Amino acid sequence: MITADDVLELPVAPRAPAGLRSLLPANSVAVSVVIPAKNAAAYLAETLASALMQGDVGEVIVVDDGSTDDTVAIVRAVRDPRLRLLHNDAAGVSAARNLGARHASGAWLLFLDADDRLRPGAVAALLSAARGAPRAILVYGDYNTIDGEGRQIGRRDLLKGRRKPSGDVLVQLTAGNFIVNGGIVLTRADAFRAVGGFDVSLRYCEDWHCWCRLAAIGEFAFAPKLLLDYRLHTSNTMNAAVRTPQDFLPAVARVFDDGLILARLPEGTANGLRQAAEIHLVTYSAMQAVRFGRYREAFAYLAMIGRLSLRSLPRAAIRVALARFGI
């Protein structure tokens, strides 16, 4: 059996039928930014400004998910013809993103959280990567982290030159979500719709599942630049202060019960990849716990990794230690 530690040496299966790829637009560069927002008044104005300043952004669609604060008023106060407001009636973040995507007119979609901010030139960098990889249906970059006040807390600039996977990435992606945040992603709109968008039954890691389905039908390309300020604070849904690895396991089950994904994985690898995904999510939980000073939980999660795979423990421990320094 392939183990979690053998993942990076796996071969890839044949590409999906060309009929799926024929749905994709070839030349258009218009980008639609979709922002789901629920009680996001504290940060939304900054987020909107960061999106509207980007070149090649044809529209910014805010989907209000039943806010009870000034979220809607903030959107209506912005005088820009590219800005649109939709209402989602508290159906959840995945439904909000899907609604925005259905109404989007751009050939490319970018899903930006309402408390994050795009860096200047982010969309241009992603489009440049897309032009250099015409077969790619998804292009992505990297991010740094900021706190609730907008101060930089991450030091991911120290990782300059780091390469993430490009091309056929399905095997690596099922082993763990190396993309992390939709605000660093451009995906072709027709491809997103072809795979059905985000699964509204998942509360967490729904983006990972969606990226895996996209990886099953097309290639990805990586742009090695910091494109996003990703805000970490106590209201983040992924914050380890309130989330545990158990919250993320339904997404693992969903990924490895998805026929589109399983049909593209090399034969006999699903069990090892599933274990790798579980280790990845437990490691992520430990990293977040360390970032917020919850060291007891972090050690408990590392012990969990040791029970899953002793070979994986040293690598996980290094990642957790680096997270303490914002890397």
Side-chain angles (χ1 to χ4, degrees):
M1 183 187 77
I2 300 294
T3 68
D5 304 285
D6 300 321
V7 167
L8 296 180
E9 300 177 5
L10 291 171
V12 296
R15 174 56 60 197
L20 285 174
R21 296 198 302 274
S22 67
L23 293 172
L24 309 178
N27 299 313
S28 179
V29 296
V31 174
S32 295
V33 177
V34 176
I35 304 175
K38 182 169 185 176
N39 295 332
Y43 307 109
L44 184 57
E46 188 177 10
T47 300
L48 289 174
S50 78
L52 291 167
M53 72 180 290
Q54 303 290 321
D56 297 300
V57 168
E59 62 183 354
V60 175
I61 302 173
V62 177
V63 183
D64 175 56
D65 192 32
S67 296
T68 56
D69 64 359
D70 292 331
T71 291
V72 170
I74 289 170
V75 177
R76 289 176 173 163
V78 177
R79 301 303 179 198
D80 192 306
R82 295 173 296 164
L83 184 60
R84 300 169 59 192
L85 176 65
L86 302 177
H87 296 280
N88 190 47
D89 297 328
V93 65
S94 290
R97 291 174 180 147
N98 290 342
L99 177 63
R102 285 197 298 272
H103 287 267
S105 59
W108 295 92
L109 301 173
L110 186 149
F111 296 99
L112 180 62
D113 287 344
D115 56 353
D116 295 338
R117 62 192 186 203
L118 291 169
R119 292 187 165 197
V123 170
L126 289 168
L127 288 172
S128 177
R131 285 190 289 270
R135 292 172 57 88
I137 64 171
L138 184 149
V139 293
Y140 70 104
D142 214 334
Y143 63 90
N144 215 337
T145 52
I146 57 176
D147 65 13
E149 303 302 318
R151 296 182 294 259
Q152 180 174 303
I153 56 177
R155 302 182 65 193
R156 295 173 71 87
D157 54 308
L158 299 178
L159 300 175
K160 288 180 179 178
R162 181 179 65 160
R163 304 296 302 186
K164 289 187 177 183
S166 291
D168 188 340
V169 305
L170 181 61
V171 166
Q172 295 100 320
L173 190 58
T174 52
N177 184 11
F178 49 75
I179 294 176
V180 180
N181 190 303
I184 59 172
V185 171
L186 283 187
T187 182
R188 289 189 183 268
D190 286 347
F192 177 81
R193 294 171 185 132
V195 300
F198 296 103
D199 187 336
V200 298
S201 72
L202 292 174
R203 292 191 64 192
Y204 309 108
C205 302
E206 71 290 333
D207 56 341
W208 173 48
H209 172 250
C210 182
W211 310 149
C212 286
R213 285 179 63 82
L214 284 163
I217 69 167
E219 297 182 0
F220 287 17
F222 175 58
K225 294 184 178 180
L226 298 178
L227 307 177
L228 181 80
D229 290 323
Y230 174 20
R231 198 180 303 269
L232 295 179
H233 51 75
T234 55
S235 63
N236 279 82
T237 58
M238 294 288 281
N239 184 353
V242 293
R243 303 298 169 209
T244 72
Q246 296 300 321
D247 292 310
F248 307 142
L249 293 182
V252 177
R254 182 70 184 90
V255 166
F256 290 94
D257 189 37
D258 190 306
L260 178 63
I261 297 168
L262 292 177
R264 281 273 295 115
L265 291 177
E267 185 176 355
T269 63
N271 288 339
L273 290 167
R274 181 170 185 152
Q275 184 189 59
E278 292 172 352
I279 291 169
H280 174 89
L281 286 170
V282 177
T283 303
Y284 177 84
S285 298
M287 292 166 63
Q288 292 292 74
V290 162
R291 286 176 177 135
F292 288 92
R294 303 177 71 89
Y295 300 111
R296 181 176 298 178
E297 286 90 340
F299 282 116
Y301 297 153
L302 286 172
M304 188 183 304
I305 292 169
R307 291 192 294 272
L308 288 169
S309 169
L310 281 174
R311 288 176 59 195
S312 300
L313 184 57
R315 183 186 301 174
I318 290 171
R319 292 186 63 195
V320 172
L322 290 174
R324 174 64 181 82
F325 300 99
I327 299 175

